Amino acid sequence: MCVHAWIVRSFSFLWVSGMVESSNCDLCAAGSYSSASGLTRASSCQLCVSGTYSSASGVSSLSSCLSCMAGKFSTSSGAISSTTCNACLAGTFSTVSGAIDSKNCSVCAAGTFSTASGSSSSFACSLCSAGRFSSGVGAISSSACGACISGTYSTVSGASSSAACEACLAGTYLQTPGASSPTSCLLCIAGTYSNNSGGSTCSQCVRGKYSSSPGSSSSTTCILCVSGTYSTALGIPASALCISCAAGRYSSSEGATSISTCSLCLAGTFSTLSGAPSSSTCSLCFSGTYSNVQGAVSSSTCTKCSAGSYSSTEGAASAASCMACVAGTFSIDSGAVSSASCSSCLAGFYSTVSGASSSSTCSLCIAGTFSSVNGASSATICNKCVAGSYSTGSGSTNSSSCTLCINGTYSTSLGAGASSFCSRCHPGTYSTAAGDDGRRRNFMKLMNDLLKEQRQLLLTRKYLTPGSSTLVEVVQRYP
Protein backbone atom coordinates (compact mmCIF):
# COMPACT_ATOMS: atom_id res chain seq x y z
CA MET A 1 0.00 0.00 0.00
CA CYS A 2 1.30 3.50 -0.94
CA VAL A 3 2.15 5.78 1.95
CA HIS A 4 0.83 9.33 2.40
CA ALA A 5 1.04 11.54 -0.73
CA TRP A 6 1.68 8.58 -2.98
CA ILE A 7 -0.65 7.19 -5.58
CA VAL A 8 -0.85 3.34 -6.18
CA ARG A 9 0.53 2.11 -9.52
CA SER A 10 1.72 -1.59 -8.80
CA PHE A 11 2.41 -4.10 -6.04
CA SER A 12 6.12 -4.14 -6.25
CA PHE A 13 7.61 -3.00 -2.84
CA LEU A 14 10.98 -1.71 -1.81
CA TRP A 15 12.50 -1.34 1.61
CA VAL A 16 14.11 2.01 1.89
CA SER A 17 15.65 3.13 5.11
CA GLY A 18 13.35 1.03 7.08
CA MET A 19 10.31 2.33 5.22
CA VAL A 20 8.37 0.47 2.67
CA GLU A 21 7.72 2.49 -0.44
CA SER A 22 6.25 1.59 -3.73
CA SER A 23 8.26 2.57 -6.71
CA ASN A 24 5.06 2.74 -8.66
CA CYS A 25 3.31 5.44 -6.38
CA ASP A 26 3.39 8.96 -7.87
CA LEU A 27 4.03 12.06 -5.72
CA CYS A 28 1.32 14.68 -5.17
CA ALA A 29 2.31 17.61 -7.34
CA ALA A 30 3.84 20.81 -6.01
CA GLY A 31 1.15 23.11 -4.65
CA SER A 32 -0.73 20.16 -3.22
CA TYR A 33 -0.53 17.70 -0.37
CA SER A 34 -2.22 14.59 1.03
CA SER A 35 -2.29 13.33 4.56
CA ALA A 36 -4.27 10.21 3.54
CA SER A 37 -2.74 6.93 2.31
CA GLY A 38 -3.89 4.70 -0.44
CA LEU A 39 -4.88 7.46 -2.82
CA THR A 40 -5.71 6.21 -6.28
CA ARG A 41 -5.76 9.40 -8.33
CA ALA A 42 -4.05 12.83 -8.45
CA SER A 43 -7.28 14.71 -7.87
CA SER A 44 -7.31 13.22 -4.42
CA CYS A 45 -4.29 15.41 -3.55
CA GLN A 46 -5.57 18.53 -1.78
CA LEU A 47 -4.41 21.93 -3.08
CA CYS A 48 -2.53 24.35 -0.85
CA VAL A 49 -5.13 26.95 0.18
CA SER A 50 -5.08 30.63 -0.95
CA GLY A 51 -2.38 32.56 0.82
CA THR A 52 -0.02 29.58 0.74
CA TYR A 53 2.20 27.80 -1.74
CA SER A 54 4.42 24.74 -1.96
CA SER A 55 7.23 24.21 -4.39
CA ALA A 56 7.82 20.65 -3.19
CA SER A 57 5.99 17.58 -4.47
CA GLY A 58 4.83 14.72 -2.29
CA VAL A 59 3.92 16.98 0.62
CA SER A 60 1.84 15.11 3.16
CA SER A 61 0.60 17.96 5.37
CA LEU A 62 -1.17 21.35 5.02
CA SER A 63 1.49 22.78 7.28
CA SER A 64 3.96 22.04 4.56
CA CYS A 65 2.20 24.67 2.41
CA LEU A 66 4.19 27.81 3.16
CA SER A 67 2.24 31.02 3.96
CA CYS A 68 2.79 34.18 1.91
CA MET A 69 4.83 36.43 4.16
CA ALA A 70 3.29 39.49 5.84
CA GLY A 71 2.87 42.33 3.36
CA LYS A 72 1.76 39.95 0.64
CA PHE A 73 -1.31 37.98 -0.30
CA SER A 74 -2.40 35.32 -2.75
CA THR A 75 -5.85 34.58 -4.06
CA SER A 76 -4.78 31.42 -5.83
CA SER A 77 -5.03 27.91 -4.35
CA GLY A 78 -2.46 25.27 -5.28
CA ALA A 79 0.29 27.87 -5.70
CA ILE A 80 3.66 26.34 -6.33
CA SER A 81 5.83 29.43 -5.83
CA SER A 82 6.15 32.55 -3.66
CA THR A 83 5.88 34.55 -6.86
CA THR A 84 2.18 34.01 -6.69
CA CYS A 85 2.17 36.09 -3.47
CA ASN A 86 1.26 39.61 -4.53
CA ALA A 87 2.74 42.55 -2.63
CA CYS A 88 0.39 44.98 -0.87
CA LEU A 89 0.38 48.20 -2.86
CA ALA A 90 2.26 51.33 -1.86
CA GLY A 91 0.25 53.19 0.75
CA THR A 92 -0.83 49.92 2.37
CA PHE A 93 0.65 47.25 4.61
CA SER A 94 -0.27 43.87 6.05
CA THR A 95 0.94 42.30 9.28
CA VAL A 96 -0.77 38.99 8.43
CA SER A 97 1.11 36.08 6.85
CA GLY A 98 -0.88 33.88 4.49
CA ALA A 99 -3.19 36.69 3.47
CA ILE A 100 -5.67 35.53 0.87
CA ASP A 101 -6.88 38.89 -0.47
CA SER A 102 -5.81 42.54 -0.94
CA LYS A 103 -8.46 43.37 1.61
CA ASN A 104 -5.98 42.06 4.13
CA CYS A 105 -3.73 45.06 3.16
CA SER A 106 -4.50 47.95 5.56
CA VAL A 107 -4.18 51.51 4.24
CA CYS A 108 -1.71 53.93 5.79
CA ALA A 109 -3.57 56.26 8.11
CA ALA A 110 -4.22 59.96 7.42
CA GLY A 111 -1.05 61.93 8.08
CA THR A 112 1.16 59.15 6.75
CA PHE A 113 2.30 57.74 3.43
CA SER A 114 4.24 54.80 2.08
CA THR A 115 6.15 54.68 -1.16
CA ALA A 116 7.06 50.98 -0.90
CA SER A 117 4.89 48.00 -1.84
CA GLY A 118 4.73 44.84 0.26
CA SER A 119 5.03 46.60 3.58
CA SER A 120 4.48 44.31 6.55
CA SER A 121 4.03 46.89 9.30
CA SER A 122 2.34 50.23 9.95
CA PHE A 123 5.80 51.53 10.71
CA ALA A 124 6.41 51.43 6.99
CA CYS A 125 3.93 54.35 6.76
CA SER A 126 6.08 57.45 7.11
CA LEU A 127 4.69 60.41 9.01
CA CYS A 128 4.07 63.68 7.19
CA SER A 129 6.77 65.99 8.45
CA ALA A 130 6.04 68.84 10.85
CA GLY A 131 4.53 71.74 8.96
CA ARG A 132 2.55 69.39 6.69
CA PHE A 133 -0.59 67.32 6.92
CA SER A 134 -2.60 64.76 4.97
CA SER A 135 -6.28 64.11 5.44
CA GLY A 136 -6.40 61.20 3.00
CA VAL A 137 -5.57 57.55 3.80
CA GLY A 138 -3.36 55.28 1.76
CA ALA A 139 -1.06 58.03 0.55
CA ILE A 140 1.78 56.73 -1.61
CA SER A 141 4.00 59.83 -1.65
CA SER A 142 5.15 62.71 0.53
CA SER A 143 3.56 65.01 -2.05
CA ALA A 144 0.24 63.97 -0.55
CA CYS A 145 1.28 65.87 2.58
CA GLY A 146 0.01 69.39 2.04
CA ALA A 147 1.97 72.30 3.50
CA CYS A 148 0.56 74.56 6.19
CA ILE A 149 -0.30 77.79 4.38
CA SER A 150 1.73 80.98 4.68
CA GLY A 151 1.16 82.61 8.03
CA THR A 152 0.79 79.25 9.83
CA TYR A 153 3.07 76.51 11.16
CA SER A 154 2.79 73.07 12.75
CA THR A 155 5.15 71.34 15.15
CA VAL A 156 3.23 68.05 14.79
CA SER A 157 4.52 65.19 12.63
CA GLY A 158 1.85 63.03 11.00
CA ALA A 159 -0.84 65.69 11.18
CA SER A 160 -4.08 64.52 9.61
CA SER A 161 -5.67 67.93 8.96
CA SER A 162 -4.94 71.65 8.59
CA ALA A 163 -6.29 72.08 12.11
CA ALA A 164 -2.81 71.19 13.28
CA CYS A 165 -1.49 74.35 11.59
CA GLU A 166 -1.31 77.19 14.11
CA ALA A 167 -1.51 80.86 13.10
CA CYS A 168 1.43 83.19 13.61
CA LEU A 169 0.63 85.81 16.21
CA ALA A 170 -0.43 89.37 15.33
CA GLY A 171 2.66 91.46 14.83
CA THR A 172 4.42 88.63 13.01
CA TYR A 173 4.27 87.19 9.52
CA LEU A 174 5.36 84.09 7.63
CA GLN A 175 5.65 84.01 3.87
CA THR A 176 6.93 80.46 3.39
CA PRO A 177 4.36 77.62 3.54
CA GLY A 178 5.11 74.41 5.45
CA ALA A 179 6.77 76.01 8.50
CA SER A 180 7.42 73.64 11.39
CA SER A 181 8.18 76.02 14.25
CA PRO A 182 6.79 79.23 15.77
CA THR A 183 10.26 80.68 15.38
CA SER A 184 9.56 80.71 11.66
CA CYS A 185 7.09 83.56 12.34
CA LEU A 186 9.11 86.74 11.86
CA LEU A 187 8.46 90.01 13.62
CA CYS A 188 7.04 92.74 11.42
CA ILE A 189 9.91 95.13 10.86
CA ALA A 190 9.81 98.72 12.10
CA GLY A 191 7.56 100.78 9.86
CA THR A 192 5.09 97.92 9.41
CA TYR A 193 2.45 96.12 11.46
CA SER A 194 0.11 93.14 11.35
CA ASN A 195 -3.14 93.42 13.28
CA ASN A 196 -4.33 89.88 12.46
CA SER A 197 -2.94 86.50 13.37
CA GLY A 198 -1.88 84.20 10.56
CA GLY A 199 -0.54 86.97 8.37
CA SER A 200 1.76 86.25 5.47
CA THR A 201 2.76 89.91 5.07
CA CYS A 202 2.86 93.06 7.21
CA SER A 203 1.03 96.25 6.30
CA GLN A 204 3.14 99.38 5.84
CA CYS A 205 2.58 102.58 7.77
CA VAL A 206 0.95 105.05 5.41
CA ARG A 207 2.69 108.11 4.01
CA GLY A 208 3.24 110.80 6.60
CA LYS A 209 3.68 108.25 9.40
CA TYR A 210 6.48 106.11 10.82
CA SER A 211 6.95 103.35 13.39
CA SER A 212 10.18 102.51 15.14
CA SER A 213 8.70 99.45 16.89
CA PRO A 214 9.26 95.99 15.39
CA GLY A 215 6.52 93.42 15.91
CA SER A 216 3.72 95.99 15.92
CA SER A 217 0.23 94.51 15.97
CA SER A 218 -1.74 97.67 15.24
CA SER A 219 -1.67 100.70 12.96
CA THR A 220 -1.86 102.83 16.10
CA THR A 221 1.88 102.32 16.47
CA CYS A 222 2.33 104.36 13.28
CA ILE A 223 3.12 107.87 14.51
CA LEU A 224 2.49 111.06 12.55
CA CYS A 225 5.53 112.89 11.22
CA VAL A 226 5.77 116.05 13.34
CA SER A 227 4.96 119.54 12.12
CA GLY A 228 7.71 120.89 9.91
CA THR A 229 8.30 117.52 8.25
CA TYR A 230 6.64 115.28 5.67
CA SER A 231 7.02 111.82 4.18
CA THR A 232 6.17 110.57 0.70
CA ALA A 233 7.29 106.99 1.45
CA LEU A 234 5.36 104.04 2.86
CA GLY A 235 6.59 102.10 5.88
CA ILE A 236 9.36 104.35 7.17
CA PRO A 237 10.94 102.97 10.35
CA ALA A 238 12.11 106.14 12.11
CA SER A 239 11.18 109.78 12.62
CA ALA A 240 14.56 110.70 11.17
CA LEU A 241 13.24 109.60 7.78
CA CYS A 242 10.47 112.21 7.91
CA ILE A 243 11.87 114.86 5.58
CA SER A 244 12.31 118.31 7.10
CA CYS A 245 10.89 121.33 5.32
CA ALA A 246 13.85 123.26 3.94
CA ALA A 247 15.05 126.52 5.46
CA GLY A 248 12.79 129.35 4.35
CA ARG A 249 9.73 127.12 4.67
CA TYR A 250 7.47 125.85 7.45
CA SER A 251 4.58 123.45 7.96
CA SER A 252 2.10 123.38 10.81
CA SER A 253 0.59 120.10 9.60
CA GLU A 254 1.28 116.79 11.33
CA GLY A 255 1.50 113.72 9.12
CA ALA A 256 2.18 115.73 5.97
CA THR A 257 2.65 113.64 2.82
CA SER A 258 4.06 116.16 0.37
CA ILE A 259 6.58 119.00 0.12
CA SER A 260 3.65 121.15 -1.00
CA THR A 261 2.61 121.39 2.66
CA CYS A 262 5.84 123.30 3.36
CA SER A 263 4.75 126.92 2.96
CA LEU A 264 7.20 129.62 1.94
CA CYS A 265 8.08 132.32 4.45
CA LEU A 266 6.45 135.51 3.21
CA ALA A 267 8.32 138.32 1.51
CA GLY A 268 9.89 140.49 4.20
CA THR A 269 10.81 137.48 6.31
CA PHE A 270 13.44 134.72 6.33
CA SER A 271 14.20 131.50 8.18
CA THR A 272 17.49 129.70 8.63
CA LEU A 273 15.77 126.78 10.37
CA SER A 274 14.92 123.55 8.57
CA GLY A 275 11.93 121.59 9.82
CA ALA A 276 10.17 124.75 11.03
CA PRO A 277 6.72 123.97 12.51
CA SER A 278 5.08 127.40 12.11
CA SER A 279 5.29 130.78 10.44
CA SER A 280 6.54 132.23 13.72
CA THR A 281 9.95 130.82 12.84
CA CYS A 282 10.07 133.19 9.87
CA SER A 283 12.03 136.15 11.23
CA LEU A 284 11.08 139.66 10.15
CA CYS A 285 13.56 141.74 8.20
CA PHE A 286 14.77 144.51 10.50
CA SER A 287 13.56 148.07 10.31
CA GLY A 288 15.43 149.92 7.61
CA THR A 289 15.42 146.88 5.32
CA TYR A 290 13.00 145.05 3.03
CA SER A 291 12.84 141.81 1.02
CA ASN A 292 10.61 140.89 -1.90
CA VAL A 293 11.86 137.28 -1.82
CA GLN A 294 9.53 134.50 -0.65
CA GLY A 295 11.12 131.56 1.15
CA ALA A 296 14.28 133.50 2.01
CA VAL A 297 16.84 131.47 3.98
CA SER A 298 19.05 134.26 5.25
CA SER A 299 18.93 137.84 6.50
CA SER A 300 21.23 138.66 3.60
CA THR A 301 18.12 138.80 1.40
CA CYS A 302 16.92 141.77 3.46
CA THR A 303 18.02 144.78 1.41
CA LYS A 304 18.83 148.04 3.17
CA CYS A 305 16.77 151.10 2.33
CA SER A 306 19.00 153.27 0.16
CA ALA A 307 20.67 156.45 1.44
CA GLY A 308 18.13 159.26 1.49
CA SER A 309 15.35 157.04 2.79
CA TYR A 310 14.32 155.21 5.96
CA SER A 311 11.80 152.63 7.19
CA SER A 312 10.53 152.00 10.68
CA THR A 313 8.61 148.91 9.48
CA GLU A 314 9.79 145.41 10.40
CA GLY A 315 9.14 142.72 7.80
CA ALA A 316 8.79 145.14 4.91
CA ALA A 317 8.16 143.35 1.60
CA SER A 318 9.16 146.03 -0.88
CA ALA A 319 11.25 149.17 -1.40
CA ALA A 320 7.98 151.12 -1.27
CA SER A 321 8.18 150.86 2.52
CA CYS A 322 11.32 153.01 2.45
CA MET A 323 10.16 156.62 3.00
CA ALA A 324 12.14 159.37 1.27
CA CYS A 325 13.74 162.05 3.42
CA VAL A 326 11.62 165.18 2.86
CA ALA A 327 12.89 168.10 0.81
CA GLY A 328 15.31 170.20 2.83
CA THR A 329 16.91 167.10 4.38
CA PHE A 330 19.28 164.34 3.34
CA SER A 331 20.71 161.06 4.65
CA ILE A 332 24.02 159.54 3.70
CA ASP A 333 23.38 156.24 5.51
CA SER A 334 21.60 153.20 4.04
CA GLY A 335 19.33 151.12 6.22
CA ALA A 336 18.03 154.09 8.23
CA VAL A 337 15.16 153.23 10.58
CA SER A 338 13.58 156.65 11.19
CA SER A 339 13.31 160.21 9.88
CA ALA A 340 15.77 161.19 12.60
CA SER A 341 18.47 159.90 10.28
CA CYS A 342 17.56 162.62 7.77
CA SER A 343 19.85 165.62 8.44
CA SER A 344 18.52 169.11 7.74
CA CYS A 345 20.17 171.43 5.24
CA LEU A 346 21.91 174.14 7.28
CA ALA A 347 20.68 177.70 7.59
CA GLY A 348 21.58 179.59 4.44
CA PHE A 349 20.81 176.49 2.34
CA TYR A 350 17.70 174.90 0.90
CA SER A 351 16.85 171.75 -1.07
CA THR A 352 13.83 170.98 -3.19
CA VAL A 353 14.92 167.32 -3.58
CA SER A 354 13.15 164.58 -1.60
CA GLY A 355 15.15 161.44 -0.82
CA ALA A 356 18.45 163.29 -1.03
CA SER A 357 21.46 161.16 -0.16
CA SER A 358 24.06 163.92 0.16
CA SER A 359 24.44 167.46 1.48
CA SER A 360 25.44 168.42 -2.06
CA THR A 361 21.73 168.68 -2.85
CA CYS A 362 21.49 171.57 -0.39
CA SER A 363 21.74 174.75 -2.51
CA LEU A 364 23.07 178.06 -1.15
CA CYS A 365 20.74 181.00 -0.79
CA ILE A 366 21.92 183.32 -3.58
CA ALA A 367 23.69 186.65 -3.03
CA GLY A 368 21.24 189.26 -1.82
CA THR A 369 19.31 186.74 0.28
CA PHE A 370 19.69 184.98 3.61
CA SER A 371 17.94 182.28 5.67
CA SER A 372 18.16 181.37 9.34
CA VAL A 373 15.97 178.28 8.83
CA ASN A 374 17.45 174.75 9.02
CA GLY A 375 15.94 172.24 6.57
CA ALA A 376 14.57 174.82 4.12
CA SER A 377 12.74 173.06 1.25
CA SER A 378 12.45 176.00 -1.18
CA ALA A 379 14.36 179.07 -2.39
CA THR A 380 11.42 181.15 -1.19
CA ILE A 381 12.64 180.52 2.34
CA CYS A 382 15.68 182.67 1.50
CA ASN A 383 14.73 186.25 2.62
CA LYS A 384 15.76 189.14 0.37
CA CYS A 385 17.94 191.97 1.61
CA VAL A 386 15.70 195.07 2.01
CA ALA A 387 15.84 197.99 -0.41
CA GLY A 388 18.79 200.21 0.37
CA SER A 389 21.04 197.23 1.09
CA TYR A 390 22.79 194.43 -0.73
CA SER A 391 24.74 191.24 -0.08
CA THR A 392 27.48 189.82 -2.25
CA GLY A 393 27.89 186.51 -0.42
CA SER A 394 25.76 183.37 -0.96
CA GLY A 395 24.55 181.14 1.86
CA SER A 396 23.99 183.99 4.29
CA THR A 397 22.18 183.02 7.47
CA ASN A 398 20.88 186.40 8.74
CA SER A 399 20.14 189.99 7.74
CA SER A 400 23.44 191.25 9.14
CA SER A 401 25.01 189.95 5.95
CA CYS A 402 23.10 192.67 4.05
CA THR A 403 25.35 195.78 3.65
CA LEU A 404 23.68 199.25 3.57
CA CYS A 405 24.13 201.42 0.50
CA ILE A 406 26.61 204.21 1.40
CA ASN A 407 25.74 207.89 1.89
CA GLY A 408 24.86 209.62 -1.33
CA THR A 409 23.42 206.47 -2.86
CA TYR A 410 20.15 204.66 -2.70
CA SER A 411 18.60 201.40 -3.90
CA THR A 412 14.99 200.53 -4.51
CA SER A 413 15.77 196.84 -5.29
CA LEU A 414 14.94 193.97 -2.95
CA GLY A 415 17.54 191.22 -2.72
CA ALA A 416 20.30 193.22 -4.34
CA GLY A 417 23.31 191.03 -4.89
CA ALA A 418 25.94 193.69 -5.49
CA SER A 419 26.80 197.33 -4.60
CA SER A 420 26.09 198.27 -8.20
CA PHE A 421 22.40 198.19 -7.28
CA CYS A 422 23.06 201.32 -5.13
CA SER A 423 22.38 204.36 -7.44
CA ARG A 424 23.95 207.77 -6.97
CA CYS A 425 21.67 210.60 -5.91
CA HIS A 426 20.54 212.73 -8.91
CA PRO A 427 22.03 216.11 -9.49
CA GLY A 428 20.50 218.60 -7.22
CA THR A 429 19.83 215.96 -4.53
CA TYR A 430 21.79 214.38 -1.76
CA SER A 431 21.54 211.75 0.94
CA THR A 432 23.21 211.89 4.33
CA ALA A 433 22.03 208.48 5.55
CA ALA A 434 23.34 205.08 4.54
CA GLY A 435 20.80 202.57 3.35
CA ASP A 436 18.57 205.00 1.50
CA ASP A 437 15.85 202.91 -0.04
CA GLY A 438 14.80 205.65 -2.52
CA ARG A 439 11.22 205.85 -1.36
CA ARG A 440 11.35 209.64 -0.54
CA ARG A 441 13.44 210.26 -3.60
CA ASN A 442 11.00 208.37 -5.72
CA PHE A 443 8.16 210.50 -4.41
CA MET A 444 10.00 213.72 -5.17
CA LYS A 445 10.92 212.44 -8.60
CA LEU A 446 7.33 211.55 -9.23
CA MET A 447 6.19 215.07 -8.26
CA ASN A 448 8.85 216.72 -10.44
CA ASP A 449 7.90 214.56 -13.36
CA LEU A 450 4.27 215.55 -12.96
CA LEU A 451 5.15 219.25 -12.93
CA LYS A 452 7.35 218.85 -15.94
CA GLU A 453 4.59 217.10 -17.76
CA GLN A 454 2.21 219.90 -16.96
CA ARG A 455 4.66 222.53 -18.26
CA GLN A 456 4.91 220.66 -21.47
CA LEU A 457 1.16 220.63 -22.01
CA LEU A 458 0.39 221.98 -25.45
CA LEU A 459 -1.98 224.86 -25.79
CA THR A 460 -3.49 224.76 -29.25
CA ARG A 461 -5.45 227.60 -30.74
CA LYS A 462 -6.91 227.97 -34.26
CA TYR A 463 -7.80 231.28 -36.02
CA LEU A 464 -7.95 232.90 -39.49
CA THR A 465 -5.19 235.16 -40.65
CA PRO A 466 -6.60 238.53 -41.64
CA GLY A 467 -7.28 238.78 -45.33
CA SER A 468 -6.90 234.95 -45.71
CA SER A 469 -9.25 232.06 -45.72
CA THR A 470 -6.60 229.67 -44.36
CA LEU A 471 -7.09 228.33 -40.83
CA VAL A 472 -3.84 228.88 -38.94
CA GLU A 473 -3.01 226.57 -35.96
CA VAL A 474 -0.94 228.29 -33.31
CA VAL A 475 0.79 226.18 -30.70
CA GLN A 476 1.85 228.02 -27.62
CA ARG A 477 3.88 226.33 -24.96
CA TYR A 478 4.20 227.40 -21.43
CA PRO A 479 7.67 228.21 -20.43
Side-chain angles (χ1 to χ4, degrees), residues 193-341:
Y193 64 93
S194 174
N195 50 17
N196 295 316
S197 59
S200 60
T201 58
C202 298
S203 301
Q204 293 179 309
C205 290
V206 297
R207 293 176 177 84
K209 292 187 176 185
Y210 71 93
S211 174
S212 57
S213 302
S216 296
S217 59
S218 171
S219 61
T220 58
T221 59
C222 298
I223 302 170
L224 294 170
C225 289
V226 297
S227 300
T229 65
Y230 65 95
S231 172
T232 60
L234 297 170
I236 62 172
S239 60
L241 296 178
C242 296
I243 303 168
S244 295
C245 291
R249 293 175 176 262
Y250 67 92
S251 173
S252 57
S253 301
E254 292 185 326
T257 61
S258 169
I259 192 175
S260 63
T261 59
C262 298
S263 301
L264 293 170
C265 288
L266 298 177
T269 66
F270 65 93
S271 175
T272 59
L273 179 68
S274 60
S278 75
S279 60
S280 63
T281 59
C282 300
S283 302
L284 298 173
C285 287
F286 300 119
S287 300
T289 65
Y290 67 92
S291 173
N292 55 17
V293 178
Q294 291 186 324
V297 300
S298 169
S299 61
S300 64
T301 58
C302 299
T303 305
K304 290 182 178 181
C305 290
S306 60
S309 64
Y310 64 92
S311 174
S312 59
T313 304
E314 291 185 327
S318 74
S321 64
C322 299
M323 306 299 293
C325 290
V326 296
T329 65
F330 64 92
S331 174
I332 61 174
D333 297 321
S334 59
V337 299
S338 74
S339 59
S341 64

Side-chain angles (χ1 to χ4, degrees), residues 27 32 64 94 113 186 209 238 338 340 342 345 374 380 398:
L27 297 174
S32 63
S64 297
S94 175
F113 66 93
L186 304 176
K209 292 187 176 185
S338 74
C342 300
C345 290
N374 290 321
T380 59
N398 55 60

Side-chain angles (χ1 to χ4, degrees), residues 109-113 125-134 145-146 148 153-161 164-166 178-181:
T112 66
F113 66 93
C125 298
S126 300
L127 298 174
C128 289
S129 60
R132 293 180 173 273
F133 66 92
S134 174
C145 300
C148 289
Y153 66 92
S154 173
T155 59
V156 177
S157 298
S160 60
S161 76
C165 301
E166 300 182 55
S180 60
S181 170

Side-chain angles (χ1 to χ4, degrees), residues 170-197:
T172 65
Y173 73 100
L174 178 56
Q175 293 180 323
T176 305
S180 60
S181 170
T183 58
S184 300
C185 300
L186 304 176
L187 291 175
C188 290
I189 61 173
T192 66
Y193 64 93
S194 174
N195 50 17
N196 295 316
S197 59

